[in-house]
Amino acid sequence: MTQQAVGAPLSRLPNFLTEPKSLWQSIVGGWSIAFFGSLLLSALAMTVLPAAPPPDFSNLEGQAGLAFFMLVVFAPVVETLLMGAILMGLSLFLRPGIAVIVSAILWGIAHSTMALNWGFVIWWPFLIFSLQFVTWRRRHLGLAFLVPMLTHAMQNSLPAVTIAFPGLVPA
């Protein structure tokens, strides 16, 4: 994706996020930027708002298989389908880079309704997922959904393990 295609806000990102060339580079590279960025934002959020409650997944306690499925399969599939529809709608009115930013902000707001800190952290991975969608849509609509879906599944994997199997990963 050229600088003009993405627009100034996102023009300095790595090529694996802006050029639809290598699926695996986009997925693994996108995951690494999303995951480690969200860890930094999470640490910042816990420092600024230490009393804010985390997301509540107590409804999945004792249901390891369901918890893992919901977080690693269901959420990435459903949220990517919704995100893609939102981005296609936004792209009718906004430049791609601005649509990506608006999408990420909307997802942050949506997750903030469940837990304030979560929304602050989640906008970053959704910025990456949205960028992947816009980038890969230029090549193929199916890949536009597949790439962020798989990146999202990877993003949710470690949290899913900690929720599905408490005590397995040290706190």
Coordinates of all heavy atoms in Angstrom, one line a residue, residues 118-165:
W118 N -9.9 -2.0 29.5 CA -9.8 -2.9 28.4 C -10.0 -2.1 27.1 O -9.3 -2.3 26.1 CB -10.9 -4.0 28.5 CG -10.8 -5.2 27.6 CD1 -9.7 -5.6 27.0 CD2 -11.9 -6.0 27.3 NE1 -10.0 -6.8 26.3 CE2 -11.3 -7.0 26.5 CE3 -13.2 -6.1 27.6 CZ2 -12.1 -8.1 25.9 CZ3 -13.9 -7.1 27.1 CH2 -13.4 -8.1 26.3
G119 N -10.9 -1.2 27.1 CA -11.1 -0.3 25.9 C -9.9 0.5 25.6 O -9.6 0.7 24.4
F120 N -9.2 1.0 26.6 CA -8.0 1.8 26.4 C -6.9 0.9 25.8 O -6.2 1.4 24.9 CB -7.5 2.3 27.7 CG -6.2 3.1 27.6 CD1 -6.1 4.3 27.0 CD2 -5.0 2.5 28.1 CE1 -4.9 5.0 26.9 CE2 -3.8 3.2 28.0 CZ -3.8 4.4 27.4
V121 N -6.9 -0.4 26.1 CA -5.8 -1.3 25.6 C -6.2 -1.8 24.2 O -5.4 -1.9 23.3 CB -5.6 -2.4 26.6 CG1 -4.7 -3.5 26.0 CG2 -5.0 -1.9 27.9
I122 N -7.5 -2.1 24.0 CA -7.9 -2.9 22.8 C -7.9 -2.1 21.6 O -7.9 -2.7 20.5 CB -9.3 -3.5 23.1 CG1 -9.4 -4.9 22.4 CG2 -10.4 -2.6 22.7 CD1 -8.6 -5.9 23.0
W123 N -8.0 -0.8 21.6 CA -8.0 0.0 20.4 C -6.7 -0.2 19.6 O -6.7 -0.2 18.4 CB -8.1 1.5 20.7 CG -6.9 2.2 21.2 CD1 -6.6 2.3 22.6 CD2 -5.8 2.7 20.5 NE1 -5.3 2.9 22.7 CE2 -4.8 3.1 21.4 CE3 -5.5 2.8 19.1 CZ2 -3.6 3.7 21.1 CZ3 -4.3 3.4 18.8 CH2 -3.4 3.8 19.7
W124 N -5.6 -0.5 20.3 CA -4.3 -0.7 19.6 C -4.4 -2.0 18.7 O -4.1 -1.9 17.5 CB -3.1 -0.7 20.5 CG -1.9 -1.0 19.8 CD1 -1.2 -2.2 19.8 CD2 -1.1 -0.2 18.9 NE1 -0.1 -2.1 19.0 CE2 0.0 -0.9 18.5 CE3 -1.4 1.1 18.5 CZ2 0.9 -0.3 17.6 CZ3 -0.4 1.7 17.6 CH2 0.7 1.0 17.2
P125 N -4.7 -3.2 19.2 CA -4.8 -4.3 18.3 C -5.8 -4.1 17.2 O -5.6 -4.6 16.1 CB -5.2 -5.5 19.3 CG -5.0 -5.0 20.6 CD -4.9 -3.5 20.6
F126 N -6.9 -3.5 17.5 CA -7.9 -3.2 16.5 C -7.4 -2.2 15.4 O -7.9 -2.3 14.3 CB -9.3 -2.8 17.1 CG -10.1 -4.0 17.4 CD1 -10.1 -4.6 18.6 CD2 -10.9 -4.7 16.4 CE1 -10.8 -5.7 18.9 CE2 -11.6 -5.8 16.7 CZ -11.6 -6.3 18.0
L127 N -6.5 -1.4 15.8 CA -5.8 -0.6 14.8 C -5.1 -1.4 13.8 O -5.2 -1.3 12.6 CB -4.9 0.5 15.4 CG -4.2 1.4 14.5 CD1 -5.2 2.5 14.0 CD2 -3.0 2.0 15.2
I128 N -4.4 -2.4 14.3 CA -3.6 -3.3 13.5 C -4.5 -4.2 12.7 O -4.4 -4.4 11.4 CB -2.6 -4.2 14.3 CG1 -1.7 -3.3 15.1 CG2 -1.9 -5.2 13.5 CD1 -0.8 -2.4 14.4
F129 N -5.6 -4.8 13.3 CA -6.5 -5.6 12.6 C -7.2 -4.9 11.4 O -7.4 -5.4 10.3 CB -7.6 -6.2 13.5 CG -7.1 -6.9 14.7 CD1 -7.9 -7.0 15.9 CD2 -5.9 -7.5 14.8 CE1 -7.5 -7.6 17.0 CE2 -5.4 -8.2 15.9 CZ -6.3 -8.3 17.0
S130 N -7.6 -3.6 11.7 CA -8.3 -2.8 10.7 C -7.4 -2.5 9.6 O -7.8 -2.5 8.4 CB -8.8 -1.5 11.4 OG -9.8 -1.8 12.4
L131 N -6.1 -2.2 9.9 CA -5.1 -1.9 8.9 C -4.9 -3.2 8.0 O -4.8 -3.1 6.8 CB -3.8 -1.5 9.5 CG -2.7 -1.1 8.5 CD1 -3.1 -0.1 7.5 CD2 -1.4 -0.7 9.3
Q132 N -4.9 -4.3 8.6 CA -4.7 -5.6 7.8 C -5.9 -5.7 6.9 O -5.8 -6.1 5.8 CB -4.6 -6.8 8.8 CG -3.3 -6.8 9.5 CD -3.2 -8.0 10.5 OE1 -4.2 -8.2 11.2 NE2 -2.1 -8.7 10.5
F133 N -7.1 -5.5 7.4 CA -8.3 -5.6 6.6 C -8.2 -4.7 5.3 O -8.4 -5.2 4.2 CB -9.6 -5.3 7.4 CG -10.8 -5.6 6.6 CD1 -11.4 -6.8 6.5 CD2 -11.4 -4.5 5.8 CE1 -12.5 -7.0 5.7 CE2 -12.5 -4.7 5.0 CZ -13.1 -6.0 5.0
V134 N -7.9 -3.5 5.6 CA -7.9 -2.5 4.5 C -6.8 -2.9 3.5 O -6.9 -2.8 2.3 CB -7.7 -1.1 5.0 CG1 -7.3 -0.1 3.9 CG2 -8.9 -0.6 5.7
T135 N -5.6 -3.3 4.0 CA -4.5 -3.7 3.1 C -4.8 -4.9 2.3 O -4.7 -4.9 1.1 CB -3.2 -4.0 4.0 OG1 -2.8 -2.8 4.7 CG2 -2.1 -4.5 3.2
W136 N -5.3 -6.0 2.9 CA -5.6 -7.2 2.2 C -6.8 -7.2 1.3 O -7.0 -8.0 0.4 CB -5.6 -8.4 3.2 CG -4.2 -8.7 3.6 CD1 -3.5 -8.2 4.6 CD2 -3.3 -9.5 2.8 NE1 -2.2 -8.7 4.6 CE2 -2.0 -9.5 3.5 CE3 -3.3 -10.3 1.7 CZ2 -0.9 -10.2 3.1 CZ3 -2.2 -11.0 1.2 CH2 -1.0 -10.9 2.0
R137 N -7.7 -6.2 1.6 CA -8.9 -6.1 0.8 C -8.5 -5.7 -0.7 O -9.2 -6.1 -1.6 CB -9.8 -5.0 1.4 CG -11.1 -4.9 0.6 CD -12.1 -4.0 1.3 NE -13.3 -3.9 0.4 CZ -14.0 -2.9 0.3 NH1 -13.8 -1.8 1.0 NH2 -15.1 -2.8 -0.4
R138 N -7.4 -5.0 -0.8 CA -6.9 -4.7 -2.1 C -6.6 -5.9 -2.9 O -6.6 -5.9 -4.2 CB -5.7 -3.8 -2.0 CG -6.1 -2.4 -1.5 CD -4.9 -1.5 -1.3 NE -3.8 -1.7 -2.2 CZ -2.5 -2.0 -1.8 NH1 -2.3 -2.1 -0.5 NH2 -1.5 -2.1 -2.6
R139 N -6.2 -7.0 -2.3 CA -5.8 -8.2 -3.0 C -7.0 -9.2 -3.1 O -7.2 -9.7 -4.2 CB -4.7 -8.9 -2.2 CG -4.1 -10.1 -2.9 CD -2.7 -10.4 -2.5 NE -2.4 -11.7 -2.9 CZ -1.3 -12.3 -2.4 NH1 -0.5 -11.7 -1.5 NH2 -1.1 -13.6 -2.7
H140 N -7.8 -9.4 -2.0 CA -8.9 -10.3 -2.1 C -9.7 -10.1 -0.8 O -9.2 -10.1 0.3 CB -8.4 -11.7 -2.2 CG -9.4 -12.8 -2.5 ND1 -10.2 -13.3 -1.5 CD2 -9.8 -13.3 -3.6 CE1 -11.1 -14.2 -2.0 NE2 -10.8 -14.2 -3.3
L141 N -11.0 -10.1 -1.0 CA -11.9 -9.8 0.1 C -11.8 -11.0 1.2 O -11.8 -10.7 2.4 CB -13.4 -9.7 -0.3 CG -14.4 -9.3 0.8 CD1 -14.0 -8.0 1.5 CD2 -15.8 -9.2 0.2
G142 N -11.7 -12.2 0.7 CA -11.5 -13.3 1.6 C -10.3 -13.2 2.5 O -10.3 -13.4 3.7
L143 N -9.2 -12.8 1.9 CA -7.9 -12.5 2.6 C -8.1 -11.4 3.6 O -7.5 -11.3 4.7 CB -6.8 -12.3 1.7 CG -6.4 -13.6 0.8 CD1 -5.3 -13.2 -0.2 CD2 -5.9 -14.7 1.7
A144 N -8.9 -10.4 3.2 CA -9.1 -9.2 4.1 C -9.7 -9.6 5.4 O -9.5 -9.0 6.4 CB -10.0 -8.2 3.4
F145 N -10.5 -10.7 5.3 CA -11.1 -11.2 6.6 C -10.2 -12.2 7.3 O -10.1 -12.2 8.5 CB -12.5 -11.9 6.3 CG -13.6 -10.9 6.1 CD1 -14.0 -10.6 4.8 CD2 -14.2 -10.2 7.1 CE1 -15.1 -9.7 4.6 CE2 -15.2 -9.3 6.9 CZ -15.6 -9.0 5.6
L146 N -9.5 -13.1 6.5 CA -8.7 -14.1 7.0 C -7.5 -13.6 7.8 O -7.2 -14.0 8.9 CB -8.2 -15.1 5.9 CG -7.4 -16.2 6.4 CD1 -8.2 -17.2 7.3 CD2 -6.8 -16.9 5.2
V147 N -6.8 -12.6 7.3 CA -5.6 -12.1 7.9 C -5.8 -11.5 9.3 O -5.2 -12.0 10.3 CB -4.8 -11.2 7.0 CG1 -3.6 -10.5 7.7 CG2 -4.3 -12.0 5.7
P148 N -6.7 -10.6 9.4 CA -7.0 -10.0 10.8 C -7.6 -11.1 11.7 O -7.4 -11.0 12.9 CB -7.8 -8.8 10.5 CG -8.4 -8.9 9.2 CD -7.4 -9.8 8.4
M149 N -8.4 -12.0 11.1 CA -9.0 -13.0 11.9 C -8.0 -13.9 12.6 O -8.1 -14.1 13.8 CB -9.9 -13.9 11.1 CG -11.1 -14.5 11.7 SD -12.1 -15.4 10.5 CE -13.1 -14.0 9.8
L150 N -7.0 -14.3 11.9 CA -5.9 -15.1 12.4 C -5.0 -14.3 13.4 O -4.6 -14.9 14.4 CB -5.1 -15.8 11.3 CG -5.8 -16.8 10.4 CD1 -5.0 -17.2 9.3 CD2 -6.3 -18.0 11.3
T151 N -4.8 -13.1 13.0 CA -4.0 -12.2 13.9 C -4.7 -12.0 15.2 O -4.1 -12.1 16.3 CB -3.7 -10.9 13.3 OG1 -3.1 -11.1 12.0 CG2 -2.8 -10.0 14.1
H152 N -6.0 -11.8 15.2 CA -6.8 -11.7 16.4 C -6.9 -12.9 17.2 O -6.8 -12.9 18.4 CB -8.3 -11.3 15.9 CG -9.2 -10.8 17.0 ND1 -10.3 -10.1 16.7 CD2 -9.1 -10.9 18.3 CE1 -10.9 -9.8 17.8 NE2 -10.2 -10.3 18.8
A153 N -6.9 -14.1 16.5 CA -6.9 -15.4 17.3 C -5.6 -15.5 18.0 O -5.6 -16.0 19.2 CB -7.1 -16.5 16.3
M154 N -4.5 -15.2 17.4 CA -3.2 -15.2 18.0 C -3.2 -14.2 19.2 O -2.6 -14.6 20.3 CB -2.1 -14.9 17.0 CG -1.8 -16.0 16.0 SD -0.6 -15.6 14.8 CE 0.9 -15.3 15.7
Q155 N -3.7 -13.0 19.0 CA -3.7 -12.0 20.0 C -4.4 -12.5 21.3 O -4.1 -12.2 22.4 CB -4.4 -10.7 19.5 CG -4.6 -9.7 20.5 CD -3.4 -8.8 20.8 OE1 -2.4 -8.9 20.1 NE2 -3.5 -8.0 21.8
N156 N -5.5 -13.3 21.1 CA -6.4 -13.7 22.2 C -5.9 -15.0 22.8 O -6.4 -15.5 23.8 CB -7.8 -13.9 21.7 CG -8.5 -12.6 21.5 OD1 -8.0 -11.6 21.6 ND2 -9.8 -12.7 21.2
S157 N -4.9 -15.7 22.2 CA -4.5 -17.0 22.6 C -3.9 -17.1 24.1 O -4.4 -17.9 24.9 CB -3.4 -17.6 21.7 OG -4.0 -17.9 20.5
L158 N -3.0 -16.2 24.4 CA -2.4 -16.2 25.8 C -3.5 -15.8 26.8 O -3.6 -16.5 27.8 CB -1.2 -15.3 25.9 CG -0.5 -15.3 27.2 CD1 -0.1 -16.7 27.7 CD2 0.7 -14.4 27.2
P159 N -4.2 -14.7 26.6 CA -5.3 -14.5 27.5 C -6.3 -15.6 27.6 O -6.8 -15.9 28.7 CB -6.0 -13.2 27.0 CG -4.9 -12.5 26.1 CD -4.1 -13.7 25.6
A160 N -6.6 -16.3 26.5 CA -7.5 -17.4 26.6 C -7.0 -18.5 27.4 O -7.7 -19.2 28.2 CB -7.8 -17.9 25.2
V161 N -5.7 -18.8 27.3 CA -5.1 -19.9 28.1 C -5.2 -19.5 29.6 O -5.5 -20.3 30.5 CB -3.6 -20.1 27.7 CG1 -2.9 -21.0 28.7 CG2 -3.6 -20.8 26.3
T162 N -4.9 -18.2 29.9 CA -5.0 -17.8 31.4 C -6.4 -17.8 31.9 O -6.6 -18.1 33.1 CB -4.4 -16.4 31.6 OG1 -5.1 -15.4 30.9 CG2 -2.9 -16.3 31.1
I163 N -7.4 -17.6 31.1 CA -8.8 -17.6 31.5 C -9.3 -19.1 31.5 O -10.0 -19.5 32.5 CB -9.7 -16.7 30.6 CG1 -9.3 -15.3 30.8 CG2 -11.2 -17.0 30.8 CD1 -9.8 -14.3 29.7
A164 N -9.0 -19.8 30.5 CA -9.5 -21.2 30.4 C -8.8 -22.1 31.4 O -9.4 -23.1 31.9 CB -9.3 -21.8 29.0
F165 N -7.5 -21.9 31.7 CA -6.7 -22.7 32.6 C -6.0 -21.9 33.6 O -4.8 -21.8 33.6 CB -5.7 -23.5 31.7 CG -6.3 -24.3 30.6 CD1 -6.1 -23.7 29.3 CD2 -7.0 -25.4 30.8 CE1 -6.7 -24.4 28.2 CE2 -7.5 -26.1 29.7 CZ -7.4 -25.6 28.4

